[in-house]
Each structure stands twice: as C-alpha cells, then as structure tokens.
Amino acid sequence: MMQVLKFGGTSVGSVENMNHVRTIINDGDKKIVVLSAMSGTTNSLVSIAAKVKNNHTEAAQSEIKSLNEKYVEVVNDLLSERSLNAKVADYVSERFNFLLACTNKSYTLPLENEILAQGELLSTYMFNAYLQQEGINSQLLPALDFMKIDAVKEPDLKYIRERLNGVLENTPEADIYITQGFICLDDHGAVSNLQRGGSDYTATIVGAVIKADEVQIWTDIDGMHNNDPRFVEGTQPISDLSFDEAAELAYFGAKILHPQTVLPVRADGIPVRLKNTMNPSALGTLISSDHVENGIKAIAAKDNITAIKIKSGRMLQAHGFLRKVFEIFEVYETPIDMITTSEVAVSLTIDDDKNLDKIVSELESIAIIEVDKNQSIVCLVGHSIVNHEDTFKLFQILKDVKIRMISYGGSRNNISLLIDAEDKIGTLQKLNEYLFELVTL
Ligand code: ASP
C-alpha cells in the first residue's frame, strides 16, 4: 500500500520550501508525489496564453522571458551538482523555447492547454533532479502517460488504472515517484487539464486507482479552517471532516480544496489528510468516511453570485411552471446554486452569468424578473446541522444583516444564506462570534 502526497504551488515555490518537501517525503516509505507548478507560474501562463490569443506577441514574449529568468535562478540555487544542473538547464530552455514558439502560432484552445501544462512539467523535472542530487531514489512518471479525461471531462478511471499500474510495474525499483498534477490528455489524446487548482484532483484520482491507504494534500495552511482566515480573526483548523462536509465546503469557496477532490476516493473510503508543508507537525484536517455530529463545523463564502427573482401570477396553484424556468437554464448550460420559493415567486442564484442577458430575456416571456448582482453565499456546514440544538443561534444574524435568501434543509449538512457582497465580511465575523464559542473542535 502506498500513500499519495500532493504539494501545492507554494510548497514547490522556492528552494527553501522544496527542501522542506524533500524532508517530508524522505521517510523511507514508497510513495507517489504529485506536484503543482511553482506558485505564480500557472497565472503567468494564463496571462501569456491570453496575450497570444489577442495577438500581443511581443508582450507574450517578454512575459515568457521574465518567467524564464526566474527559473534559471531557481535551477542554479537548487542544483549544485554540475551534470544535473546542466541537464535541467537544458530542459528548462527547451520548455521556454517551446513557449516562445507558441507566440508565433495562431491561438487555439489546444495551444492554450499546451501553454498551461508547462508549469507542472517544469516543477516536476526540477524537483526530481533535486531528489536525485540528494541521493534519493526517485523516478519521474509523466502524467501524460496515464492521466486522461473522457468526452464529458470526467477522469477515465479504467484507462488511468491500467496505464498507471503498468508504468509502476515497469519501474518497481524507485522509492519515490514524482508526477505532475493538473495536466492530462483529453479523449482525443491532446494535452488538457483538470481545471485550475486541479492538482488536488490528480492526487485523489491517483490515490483511488492505486487504492492508496491515504492521500495527503500539503499546502501552506494548517488544514481547513472553520471560517475564512482572510476576514476573520481566531479561526481554527478543523481536525476531522466527513466527505460530505468537505464536499460542501470545497464547493462553497473554501479555496483550500478543488471542488471535485474527494469524489474519487470517497467510494473506497480512502482518507484525505490536509497538511501544512511549513508546519508539518500540525495535525491538519482529516477527511474520511467517519462523521461526528458536532453542530456547525465551518463557514465559507462564495462571491460573485447573481440572484434572479422570477415572479408570476401563473405560478399560483399551477404545475409545470418550475419546469419551464429550469429548462431555460438548461438550454444555456447554467447551473443553479440556491433556490427558494413562495407561492408566487421563485428566487434562485447562479454563479456563471455569461448568458445572464439571454436567460433573463427568455424568463421575461413567462414572468416578471428582478436581478441582483454582487451577492455572496455564506454557507454553514456540519453533519446534520439542520437538526442540531445549537443551530438556532445562527438566526441571530438576522438582526445584523439583511438576508436575501436562505436555504435550509436542502441537505442535512448545509445551510446557506444569500447576502449582499458588501455584508460578507461582517456576516462571517458575526457568525464566528455567535457560533464558534459553542463548538468544541
Ligand atoms: N498549477 C495549477 C493551478 O495553479 C494546478 C494546481 O496548482 O493545482 O491552477
């Protein structure tokens, strides 16, 4: 049984942090290590791709050159062994020449995906060479040899299982396998990715197909916090979460986990542990099949939400009205997040407002529509919170802020409030005050 450990952008973002990662993984156990790109790199690659798209060739080239300089510096700081240094320097210049060549091609989505893939290719190549320099028996496993998504962008688990197990059997002698997070092939065999932040997802997919005994996600924070540490003081790491609770939180913007992360491992009950590379002795958060009913465990918020109120006399005592409403969202492939209804109106929220105008104009043919932009969803998560005796305390928030919508009972583990974005920080702080003195974490 092996463990899968994923290290995020800051963990591989500097020579010093790569040194921490080496100490953490070098404990004598065989493992697969999934790496992100160095912090900031994928953002730069996104911006380079946008410049290529807009034909800002020179600007793209100058951004590539400054990114290249950063890598040259890291390689020199990381690798003192001459032949390894030369080998990695060659690889780095090959990757940057590839990026420069992309600036003379015409933009396509596959080209953008190739550009975005360079960050993980660079970080894993450099880090693998560094481990070898330090005398560790490591082996690079190219993710593009086994990681694949299907036509609906879901991981092709059968293919991944066969290919990855095949690759592992061919290289049984390594102690540590290093692979790229985020990148994969699509169903046509072209380079693609698992969306931003997707390295976590790579780790749990790999964990599921090799039936790992644990997947660890190493970031720069001591696990998942019970509230947003950017806005609230005194937040606490949560020691245990169930898969259900983690899924609710990931979706609602607890940025620490990619939303789909726990899906591949939950069926087999493979636990996911969130740890801090800069503070490895902190317990972190363990996400597993176990659940403790402990009231409200965490609060998270999601911004840039649009609320749509659909009001119609025709809704009264009528059937089929909601179907018509939902069909319009279906046509524009727009997911609905929250929904509340009264006898004459239904309010719902969307996150993706790309087709808002078209949706509104179609809705206007059946109802009166009001749109409120700049809303935030604040979600409270905890196993069976809807039944917990302390949950009523949350309603004290009604005296502090105006609640636009509330969703209670959609799942037993979640209560969501929709508020004006400008009230978000105050709401998070007040809820923290009302709720977390009650819960022993
Ligand atoms: N490097 C990719 C990103 O920044 C994937 C990841 O880090 O998880 O989104």
Side-chain angles (χ1 to χ4, degrees):
M1 288 271 253
M2 267 200 287
Q3 286 193 344
V4 178
L5 279 70
K6 176 256 164 172
F7 291 87
T10 36
S11 303
V12 291
S14 67
V15 174
E16 193 191 343
N17 292 351
M18 284 195 237
N19 194 7
H20 290 310
V21 175
R22 174 179 62 93
T23 322
I24 292 165
I25 61 180
N26 193 21
D27 60 0
D29 291 338
K30 217 175 166 76
K31 55 179 69 69
I32 299 183
V33 172
V34 176
L35 300 183
S36 294
M38 293 181 79
S39 45
T41 298
T42 310
N43 285 345
S44 289
L45 295 170
V46 167
S47 124
I48 290 163
K51 291 183 171 114
V52 172
K53 187 173 185 174
N54 296 320
N55 292 320
H56 297 154
T57 309
E58 273 171 30
Q61 289 169 345
S62 90
E63 190 159 358
I64 292 168
K65 284 180 189 144
S66 56
L67 192 61
N68 192 357
E69 278 161 24
K70 185 175 138 190
Y71 276 82
V72 168
E73 216 170 283
V74 174
V75 171
N76 288 334
D77 290 349
L78 190 67
L79 298 160
S80 48
E81 206 281 317
R82 282 211 12 227
S83 65
L84 278 171
N85 181 301
K87 190 172 145 204
V88 177
D90 277 353
Y91 183 79
V92 169
S93 69
E94 192 188 298
R95 296 294 92 208
F96 279 94
N97 285 337
F98 171 81
L99 283 172
L100 285 172
C102 290
T103 63
N104 294 318
K105 295 186 187 156
S106 39
Y107 173 87
T108 58
L109 186 59
L111 184 76
E112 166 156 359
N113 286 341
E114 295 260 11
I115 294 174
L116 297 194
Q118 302 309 312
E120 273 70 13
L121 292 173
L122 285 161
S123 64
T124 48
Y125 197 91
M126 286 177 352
F127 189 70
N128 184 51
Y130 170 60
L131 292 185
Q132 289 175 350
Q133 170 182 282
E134 302 304 310
I136 296 169
N137 181 12
S138 67
Q139 169 78 38
L140 195 57
L141 300 181
L144 300 181
D145 286 353
F146 60 86
M147 195 51 90
K148 191 170 181 205
I149 49 174
D150 61 20
V152 287
K153 299 196 162 57
E154 292 291 329
D156 184 343
L157 293 178
K158 187 165 169 284
Y159 175 97
I160 299 168
R161 183 173 298 116
E162 282 169 15
R163 298 290 296 232
L164 179 57
N165 284 323
V167 177
L168 290 171
E169 274 162 28
N170 287 338
T171 48
E173 62 290 340
D175 292 329
I176 294 180
Y177 298 96
I178 307 288
T179 193
Q180 298 87 22
F182 178 59
I183 63 174
C184 60
L185 295 181
D186 67 12
D187 57 325
H188 301 295
V191 175
S192 185
N193 61 60
L194 301 172
Q195 309 293 322
R196 293 303 306 274
S199 298
D200 296 346
Y201 198 24
T202 303
T204 51
I205 295 168
V206 168
V209 301
I210 67 155
K211 297 218 177 304
D213 46 8
E214 184 170 294
V215 175
Q216 298 183 351
I217 310 274
W218 290 77
T219 61
D220 52 5
I221 178 166
D222 291 343
M224 191 151 338
H225 277 228
N226 62 357
N227 202 329
D228 197 322
R230 289 170 300 179
F231 309 122
V232 180
E233 271 176 35
T235 62
Q236 301 280 334
I238 310 163
S239 57
D240 299 272
L241 278 176
S242 67
F243 285 123
D244 288 330
E245 291 167 335
E248 300 268 16
L249 278 172
Y251 177 67
F252 276 101
K255 285 267 163 7
I256 175 161
L257 265 194
H258 178 275
Q260 268 118 323
T261 303
V262 297
L263 289 182
V265 286
R266 66 180 298 169
D268 291 321
I270 300 170
V272 177
R273 199 181 286 276
L274 310 180
K275 296 278 289 174
N276 185 353
T277 306
M278 318 315 153
N279 184 14
S281 58
L283 285 177
T285 301
L286 182 67
I287 305 170
S288 71
S289 314
D290 300 337
H291 51 76
V292 189
E293 289 183 20
N294 206 1
I296 292 170
K297 281 205 193 160
I299 303 172
K302 191 171 186 186
D303 295 329
N304 298 322
I305 300 293
T306 301
I308 305 171
K309 181 149 87 193
I310 302 155
K311 196 169 168 209
S312 168
R314 275 187 264 171
M315 200 176 149
L316 197 65
Q317 303 265 307
H319 58 79
F321 182 77
L322 283 178
R323 181 176 54 77
K324 281 190 207 134
V325 169
F326 289 149
E327 267 169 8
I328 295 172
F329 288 86
E330 171 74 36
V331 168
Y332 294 102
E333 294 180 356
T334 302
I336 296 169
D337 287 332
M338 274 177 81
I339 171 155
T340 56
T341 68
S342 82
E343 269 306 314
V344 289
V346 46
S347 276
L348 46 81
T349 68
I350 58 171
D351 175 9
D352 168 6
D353 63 1
K354 234 185 5 263
N355 291 314
L356 181 64
D357 293 346
K358 291 182 202 137
I359 291 171
V360 168
S361 87
E362 291 209 23
L363 287 171
E364 273 167 349
S365 65
I366 54 170
I368 298 161
I369 309 301
E370 268 173 43
V371 174
D372 289 321
K373 291 195 168 189
N374 275 328
Q375 305 286 300
S376 295
I377 295 179
V378 171
C379 106
L380 299 104
V381 171
H383 201 83
S384 259
I385 49 172
V386 296
N387 303 322
H388 197 272
E389 61 190 29
D390 283 333
T391 297
F392 78 94
K393 307 221 161 145
L394 118 83
F395 291 99
Q396 295 176 80
I397 198 68
L398 289 170
K399 67 179 193 291
D400 302 305
V401 287
K402 204 173 106 217
I403 307 284
R404 167 81 168 73
M405 283 166 68
I406 176 158
S407 172
Y408 181 97
S411 111
R412 287 185 311 151
N413 311 326
N414 164 299
I415 298 169
S416 296
L417 313 172
L418 186 75
I419 53 171
D420 236 62
E422 64 188 26
D423 292 332
K424 180 182 82 173
I425 297 177
T427 304
L428 292 176
Q429 287 166 343
K430 278 287 175 194
L431 287 173
N432 210 55
E433 199 177 293
Y434 296 146
L435 296 165
F436 287 139
E437 33 179 25
L438 311 168
V439 180
T440 1
L441 289 162

